[in-house]
Amino acid sequence: MRHPFRFLVDLTVGLAIACLVGFGSAALVLDRDRPFGAVTAGAWSAWPASGSPDADPYTKAMQARSGEVPLGAGEGLIFIAEADDAGTPLSGRCSYRIVGQTPAARLWTLTAYDAEGHLMDNAVRRTSFHSREILREADGRFVIAIGPEAEPGNWLPVATGGSFRLLLRLYDTPVGSGSDVRDLVMPRIERGECR
Amino acid sequence: MMRTLVYALGGLLLGGIIHVVVVLLVPDFANRDAWTSMGRFGTDGDFHLLPMSEPGTEPLPYLDPDMAFAVCRFSLAERPIRIHAALPAEFWSAAIYDRRGRSVYSLNDRSAGEGGFDMVLATSVQMARMRENPVDALETTIVIELPVDRGFVLLRSFVADPTLLPETEAALAAARCSDPVPATRTSAAAPTAAGGGGN
């Protein structure tokens, strides 16, 4: 042994790497999106198993940290969009149009949250749209304008300089329990002008 | 140098183990999880109406602002409990969660039938006891055997328009969470048995 502290130095290096890798990777993963079990359709993703006892350990850890209560399988399914159809993250500086229709559900609601997961205050006191109040085209399709500037028709205001996310909650829906998640018809998210 | 590399490699492996342990232990050490947050709405064993989600005042993260909610933390440690509610003819749903916030049972107005629901929650031991000594409740209500002895129920009811809110909130606030299971058939004739549920 050439150096008397060689062993201690090696041990310290080893333990430092262990802590850095172990805690660092856990923190990194838990701060991101749930890694497993996503069902993706267009810009929208859902995690059908997230509320069940067989959810993966990462999902369980994330839910314990955030304190959110998942929807039960018999209640419905939540789709989340954080980017538009082109894959660009949703920004509070841009306007968007949600166009099309939703999968079959007895009721749905569309809500906008800021990057921290909070509702955004606005002058018209609207944080969501639900399927009963939405103005539709003659063929049943709908257009929802999303953005900072007021627009005629269905306008869902967004008041943040940063990014935001959209939650489409489908209540009492066959989606998720059934098999045909691949050919889901989800509304498109088209980006308009940005400031 | 070679030795340091071996220690670094060992560190990486240990790091992997730490990663797994941390992820598995997070739920046990979380202090902002759903169960803990619900404790501040009131006593266990009763439904508590949550304020509607508005910007700046969200009682729990990611609750639908178009729904009215009531929560109840329950315990099956002493006896099975009966949960029942009369709810408006709109979309509503109820989900039972374990201590960790996983949904172990859920139903909605379609699957439960018109007007509300009436169910009995029991552990498997209590369930076996009830089967031996059947109670009336087993025939008229949904009986759910839970793998846990405490958890919470989240009741949600759609509010299509703010004018419907008072009616919905009154119905949710009147929901009962920890009623005793109605008496056995032999004693059902006793006058006290009918008064228990108030319906």
Side-chain angles (χ1 to χ4, degrees):
Chain A
M1 194 175 265
R2 275 179 306 176
H3 199 292
F5 297 119
R6 182 66 188 271
F7 169 70
L8 276 181
V9 170
D10 286 345
L11 192 67
T12 312
V13 167
L15 286 179
I17 291 178
C19 289
L20 207 69
V21 169
F23 290 106
S25 63
L28 270 180
V29 170
L30 294 185
D31 279 340
R32 294 171 60 96
D33 262 342
R34 294 169 217 154
F36 305 117
V39 169
T40 303
W44 303 90
S45 298
W47 286 264
S50 66
S52 76
D54 4 288
D56 64 88
Y58 291 98
T59 303
K60 289 177 181 175
M62 286 177 199
Q63 279 166 357
R65 267 161 52 100
S66 73
E68 71 187 276
V69 187
L71 270 185
E75 301 185 283
L77 188 63
I78 304 180
F79 279 90
I80 302 177
E82 293 182 323
D84 61 19
D85 277 0
T88 318
L90 298 175
S91 160
R93 297 174 201 281
C94 302
S95 63
Y96 297 89
R97 288 157 68 81
I98 311 287
V99 186
Q101 50 196 343
T102 67
R106 194 138 56 87
L107 172 73
W108 57 258
T109 66
L110 179 73
T111 314
Y113 293 89
D114 66 15
E116 278 77 51
H118 297 297
L119 297 169
M120 289 168 282
D121 205 3
N122 57 76
V124 292
R125 299 184 58 74
R126 175 173 284 287
T127 52
S128 66
F129 269 102
H130 61 74
S131 53
R132 310 270 178 82
E133 66 187 348
I134 203 108
L135 303 170
R136 293 170 190 270
E137 315 277 320
D139 58 359
R141 290 146 54 87
F142 58 82
V143 177
I144 301 175
I146 295 182
E149 310 282 342
E151 294 190 42
N154 306 310
W155 173 52
L156 184 58
V158 164
T160 173
S163 62
F164 69 96
R165 58 178 65 178
L166 295 170
L167 264 69
L168 179 65
R169 295 178 172 92
L170 305 176
Y171 291 104
D172 196 6
T173 174
V175 180
S177 54
S179 51
D180 52 349
V181 280
R182 303 234 165 258
D183 21 88
L184 273 185
V185 183
M186 295 297 291
R188 298 192 307 278
I189 306 178
E190 299 167 350
R191 194 173 72 169
E193 309 232 319
C194 293
R195 283 186 296 169
Chain B
M1 195 59 220
M2 199 55 206
R3 267 172 59 126
T4 311
L5 265 181
V6 170
Y7 274 87
L9 211 65
L12 271 180
L13 285 177
L14 188 60
I17 297 171
I18 291 178
H19 175 95
V20 170
V21 170
V22 165
V23 169
L24 290 180
L25 284 185
V26 159
D28 289 325
F29 289 96
N31 52 12
R32 287 196 310 164
D33 63 337
W35 164 274
T36 312
S37 327
M38 281 173 186
R40 53 171 210 267
F41 298 119
T43 49
D44 289 4
D46 289 307
F47 272 112
H48 301 286
L49 196 63
L50 303 192
M52 294 295 279
S53 290
E54 308 257 358
T57 59
E58 289 151 81
L60 291 171
Y62 289 111
L63 287 184
D64 193 332
D66 287 316
M67 299 268 170
F69 291 88
V71 294
C72 165
R73 301 206 304 190
F74 63 82
S75 166
L76 300 177
E78 285 161 30
R79 54 177 173 81
I81 57 170
R82 175 171 170 235
I83 297 184
H84 55 119
L87 293 160
E90 247 309 344
F91 174 86
W92 57 258
S93 65
I96 300 165
Y97 299 84
D98 63 11
R99 164 69 183 83
R100 293 267 167 264
R102 259 100 62 179
S103 161
V104 286
Y105 184 85
S106 57
L107 81 177
N108 61 50
D109 57 330
R110 274 289 162 80
S111 52
E114 292 283 299
F117 66 91
D118 192 341
M119 55 190 175
V120 166
L121 307 186
T123 63
S124 32
V125 175
Q126 291 161 349
M127 194 74 182
R129 214 173 289 152
M130 278 196 287
R131 279 207 197 92
E132 271 170 29
N133 190 1
V135 297
D136 287 347
L138 295 181
E139 282 158 30
T140 54
T141 62
I142 318 167
V143 183
I144 301 150
E145 186 178 326
L146 292 186
V148 290
D149 65 355
R150 55 182 187 158
F152 59 90
V153 184
L154 184 67
L155 210 55
R156 74 184 76 218
S157 186
F158 178 55
V159 183
D161 184 284
T163 57
L164 302 170
L165 186 59
E167 183 199 347
T168 309
E169 290 197 325
L172 286 177
R176 301 299 304 264
C177 180
S178 283
D179 279 358
V181 177
T184 57
R185 204 174 303 163
T186 44
S187 62
T192 48
N199 52 356

